[in-house]
Amino acid sequence: MSRLLERLLGRLPIGWLQLVHQRGRFAAALSGVAFANVLVFVQLGLMSSMGVSTLRPYQFFQGDILISAADANTLTEGGNVARQWMLQALADPDVVAGMGLFVALVPWDRGETDISLTTFGIDPFRADFLAPEIAADIGVLQVQDAAILDRLARGLTQEEAAAIRLQTPLSFESQGRTLTAYDTFAGGGGFGGDGYLLVSDQTFLSLFPARSSGAPDHILLRLSPGAQPDAVADRLKTLIADPTLRIRSYADAMDEEVRFQQTQRPTGVIFGFGVLIGVLVGIVIVFQVLSADVADHLREYATFKAMGYGQSFFLGVVVEEAVILGMLGFIPGVIAGWGILTLMARVTTLPLFISFGMAVTVFIGTVVFSALSGMIATRRLAAADPADLF
Amino acid sequence: MPDEDFSIQASALNHWFGTGEARKQALFDIDLRIKRGSFVVMVGASGSGKTTLLTLLGCLREIQDGSVILLGKELRHATPAQNVRLRRRLGFIFQAHNLHESLTARQNVLMGLQVKGHIDKTASDRAAAHVLGLLGLADRLDYLPANLSGGQKQRVAIGRAIVGNPDVVLADEPTAALDWDTAANVVDLLKRLGQARGTSTLMVTHDNRILDRADRVLTLEDGRLVGDEDRRA
Ligand SMILES: Nc1ncnc2c1ncn2[C@@H]1O[C@H](COP(=O)(O)OP(=O)(O)OP(=O)(O)O)[C@@H](O)[C@H]1O
Ligand SMILES: [Mg+2]
């Protein structure tokens, strides 16, 4: 290591030698950097899982344009949309099909743990609006009170979920009715609900008698091949000039919801703050360690000054220390962060993991911020006056 | 006027410490020229201004009044960058060794070489080992300062000061921690450097035996140069 650094720097790796000379301080600094890294990784992991889990329900469906109420910031919120708009939209030559989509949370009393499932009511004859995995099984929904259950739902054991088949369905009580799951699909717990449930629109309406078949939560449209969703959305906006509606391409709807969850929702904002705090903790720790190190070596630095070493040399030494701390602290940081996220993922069934891009970003950030706090720490060097040495 | 024959030329040099009521003059009207290659010793009572003069001549302190020409360069009004560059041609030996605790003896000496820019690693390693060998530390090259005696540490510091072949060596009681044989060895080494390379040495010491070996002895008293004795021949 020492030799490699000497090659790299073209001088003695004083920063490195100084760090390893004081092992206690070195270890403390590394754990500090690692700790800051863990904070950042956990928050980033949560943020990105929020993105992933926000998009999860969008992937159950296939559509090009989504018509929602103006206040529908997410798939599960906001008012209804009159079904008549779907018929209006179908007048556009590029719109080939439409489907109403109902959404609500369905509680499931499971004794010890009550869970709630984000439940979609769909037209069981419109397999073309569903992702292939689900589309194949949608036929069972034609039976009243039939359901397709999320096998990754929180609170559902793997054995329990695996046992669900047409021959051995799972029945449960909700909203005063008995629902029967004949099949499963892969959803997963999110931040809003513990999992997902698919039922027919008829079953949905009998679960929620107050809702009307003429007013679904969203309208999903499919376009003719080659049509531009954005262009059609713009056309539909002039065709249906109703300010209480939100007409967007399906892709835009996904982007907008992720942005909304991460910047408008308290949870999203808190995760963002967590990242900030992690970065600050890291900066403060590296600064503390390096400025204490500079203070401890003031006489030696003053001697180097007397010998003719300039500011750039000292900056180089301290930044060398900072970069080493950043790089070496990152390793335990990423390992611990990965471990904690894996554990959290197991408990919460959220898609928590460290992506390669995330790791690279955090690594670069760690090194850059360490170097910055190292630069600040060199300010103490001004106190090293070589005239005081004699 | 810069003169090639002299490493140091000071004229009408005054220096004060403090401001206002507390302002106190430490040096008075010093005129001094030190020949290239000479070994000059400075003596004087405590507080007479020896260290102050050394820091002024070594461009570690700003010249307030008068003139110092060091190696042909006027120090009055010199920029910090000019001072830094000039210091690379000097060798300082302080009373305290000030070795870097995490560097070995050899690495500490290398610091005196590296300041001059990048030098081939094998060559600089050999130069450092050579100097330490001259100082009787050939078997201590890879020792950390914590594992060296006081005298050994001081010799490493001397090695660090001379490894880069300085034009001027400024030393403040460098032999205090050394026994006489070692001190004599160091003095001889500095005198040999003077003859071979024209290195001038200005050394503050109270050791009479070193005085006997000096080319010239300067005496300071209350900030004034009161004695200047040629000891050659
Ligand atoms: N940094 C300083 N601030 C204020 N006064 C100083 C400072 N350095 C030295 N002096 C004063 O200047 C005078 C000369 O001090 P200097 O250190 O040069 O003496 P010296 O001959 O080296 O003494 P010693 O033999 O004790 O080392 C003394 O009166 C001292 O108190
Ligand atoms: Mg003194």
Side-chain angles (χ1 to χ4, degrees):
Chain A
M1 181 77 182
S2 191
R3 204 153 286 180
L4 175 81
L5 281 170
E6 186 165 356
R7 228 358 111 65
L8 227 59
L9 296 166
R11 60 164 169 80
L12 285 176
I14 297 171
W16 163 255
L17 294 169
Q18 203 157 290
L19 284 175
V20 292
H21 188 74
Q22 288 180 322
R23 280 166 204 280
R25 179 178 286 170
F26 192 28
L30 287 183
S31 24
V33 172
F35 174 70
N37 268 312
V38 168
L39 273 181
V40 170
F41 272 127
V42 169
Q43 303 299 328
L44 281 183
L46 284 167
M47 248 169 119
S48 103
S49 85
M50 192 159 163
V52 172
S53 67
T54 297
L55 293 180
R56 196 74 198 98
Y58 285 88
Q59 285 150 0
F60 303 156
F61 307 105
Q62 281 191 341
D64 298 306
I65 286 182
L66 190 70
I67 303 180
S68 319
D71 59 351
N73 288 315
T74 73
L75 213 47
T76 52
E77 287 174 18
N80 311 330
V81 181
R83 196 180 178 81
Q84 73 187 77
W85 300 123
M86 183 170 96
L87 304 175
Q88 286 253 3
L90 283 165
D92 188 285
D94 274 333
V95 178
V96 294
M99 179 180 80
L101 191 59
F102 294 86
V103 197
L105 275 181
V106 167
W108 179 5
D109 181 358
R110 290 184 46 84
E112 276 179 24
T113 46
D114 291 355
I115 63 175
S116 63
L117 300 172
T118 304
T119 301
F120 290 102
I122 54 169
D123 183 340
F125 296 98
R126 300 304 316 234
D128 54 332
F129 276 98
L130 294 172
E133 190 221 353
I134 302 169
D137 312 318
I138 181 185
V140 299
L141 295 187
Q142 291 169 27
V143 177
Q144 178 68 29
D145 291 339
I148 303 180
L149 179 63
D150 178 357
R151 61 173 165 270
L152 301 179
R154 229 171 265 148
L156 197 67
T157 65
Q158 271 181 9
E159 303 78 51
E160 211 176 354
I164 297 175
R165 253 173 249 130
L166 213 48
Q167 304 84 340
T168 54
L170 175 69
S171 292
F172 59 96
E173 298 280 325
S174 183
Q175 309 280 97
R177 297 186 74 92
T178 305
L179 291 171
T180 307
Y182 289 101
D183 213 329
T184 62
F185 70 107
F191 287 83
D194 296 308
Y196 296 93
L197 190 68
L198 291 177
V199 295
S200 71
D201 38 13
Q202 291 310 313
T203 304
F204 185 91
L205 291 170
S206 48
L207 282 171
F208 299 97
R211 298 290 304 269
S212 129
S213 67
D217 292 274
H218 305 274
I219 292 168
L220 205 50
L221 301 176
R222 299 208 328 122
L223 305 181
S224 57
Q228 288 292 319
D230 288 325
V232 178
D234 284 343
R235 276 210 306 274
L236 291 179
K237 269 184 233 170
T238 43
L239 185 71
I240 310 170
D242 184 336
T244 65
L245 290 186
R246 244 173 134 164
I247 303 174
R248 303 164 287 175
S249 74
Y250 200 57
D252 280 354
M254 293 163 83
D255 288 349
E256 283 171 20
E257 180 168 347
V258 170
R259 209 170 316 133
F260 174 80
Q261 298 277 10
Q262 292 188 341
T263 61
Q264 308 285 310
R265 274 281 158 82
T267 31
V269 174
I270 285 168
F271 297 154
F273 256 111
V275 172
L276 196 72
I277 286 171
V279 170
L280 284 180
V281 166
I283 289 180
V284 168
I285 288 174
V286 172
F287 172 77
Q288 277 300 331
V289 167
L290 292 184
S291 61
D293 198 58
V294 168
D296 282 356
H297 293 95
L298 272 188
R299 283 191 75 81
E300 287 90 332
Y301 284 132
T303 308
F304 288 150
K305 271 191 191 174
M307 288 162 63
Y309 284 98
Q311 186 62 24
S312 61
F313 165 79
F314 299 109
L315 204 62
V317 170
V318 179
V319 169
E320 173 194 337
E321 291 186 78
V323 169
I324 289 170
L325 286 180
M327 300 212 300
L328 294 187
F330 174 81
I331 297 170
V334 71
I335 293 173
W338 175 81
I340 289 173
L341 283 177
T342 308
L343 216 71
M344 282 170 71
R346 201 165 300 159
V347 178
T348 60
T349 74
L350 288 170
L352 292 165
F353 55 89
I354 295 175
S355 69
F356 181 72
M358 212 193 280
V360 170
T361 310
V362 172
F363 178 73
I364 294 174
T366 306
V367 172
V368 168
F369 282 118
S370 296
L372 280 179
S373 40
M375 285 180 200
I376 304 170
T378 57
R379 287 192 345 183
R380 279 209 179 183
L381 272 171
D385 184 359
D388 295 336
L389 286 173
F390 274 124
Chain B
M1 276 297 293
D3 188 323
E4 285 294 304
D5 287 343
F6 297 98
S7 320
I8 299 173
Q9 292 170 268
S11 49
L13 184 62
N14 289 292
H15 197 82
W16 293 265
F17 284 109
T19 50
E21 290 283 303
R23 191 167 150 100
K24 177 171 171 273
Q25 188 158 5
L27 290 178
F28 296 84
D29 206 29
I30 304 284
D31 278 294
L32 173 67
R33 302 210 292 186
I34 291 178
K35 260 209 168 72
R36 269 171 55 83
S38 60
F39 183 84
V40 180
V41 163
M42 179 157 58
V43 296
S46 179
S48 58
K50 305 181 294 294
T51 298
T52 306
L53 182 55
L54 227 47
T55 54
L56 286 170
L57 300 181
C59 46
L60 296 179
R61 232 184 251 292
E62 205 181 323
I63 310 290
Q64 295 169 343
D65 183 45
S67 152
V68 173
I69 296 171
L70 175 69
L71 299 168
K73 307 275 193 306
E74 172 63 63
L75 296 189
R76 185 108 188 255
H77 307 308
T79 65
Q82 286 170 328
N83 281 337
V84 166
R85 228 172 302 131
L86 208 49
R87 275 184 219 151
R88 295 183 187 157
R89 299 175 59 189
L90 310 180
F92 290 104
I93 308 172
F94 307 102
Q95 223 163 334
H97 56 81
N98 296 333
L99 295 182
H100 205 287
E101 57 174 0
S102 54
L103 302 183
T104 64
R106 189 213 303 259
Q107 289 170 328
N108 266 293
V109 171
L110 278 173
M111 289 306 294
L113 212 49
Q114 243 167 32
V115 70
K116 310 211 168 208
H118 185 70
I119 303 164
D120 172 65
K121 177 160 165 54
T122 337
S124 52
D125 270 352
R126 201 173 319 129
H130 174 70
V131 166
L132 286 170
L134 289 177
L135 290 159
L137 294 170
D139 55 346
R140 294 285 186 276
L141 296 183
D142 296 318
Y143 280 52
L144 287 174
N147 301 324
L148 295 172
S149 73
Q152 288 169 334
K153 280 189 274 217
Q154 185 60 332
R155 278 182 279 160
V156 175
I158 293 168
R160 179 178 61 187
I162 62 174
V163 69
N165 289 317
D167 293 301
V168 175
V169 172
L170 298 170
D172 203 348
E173 305 200 42
T175 56
L178 305 180
D179 59 56
W180 170 240
D181 283 344
T182 321
N185 179 24
V186 168
V187 169
D188 289 343
L189 192 61
L190 289 168
K191 288 184 76 168
R192 278 211 303 283
L193 278 177
Q195 278 145 22
R197 301 182 184 275
T199 304
S200 321
T201 298
L202 178 57
M203 180 185 286
V204 173
T205 184
H206 288 104
D207 192 323
N208 282 325
R209 292 171 293 189
I210 295 180
L211 252 59
D212 292 339
R213 296 176 177 229
D215 296 329
R216 191 176 161 195
V217 176
L218 304 171
T219 309
L220 273 187
E221 204 178 284
D222 295 332
R224 289 185 171 82
L225 198 54
V226 296
D228 186 350
E229 182 187 352
D230 198 328
R231 291 272 182 114
R232 277 167 305 174

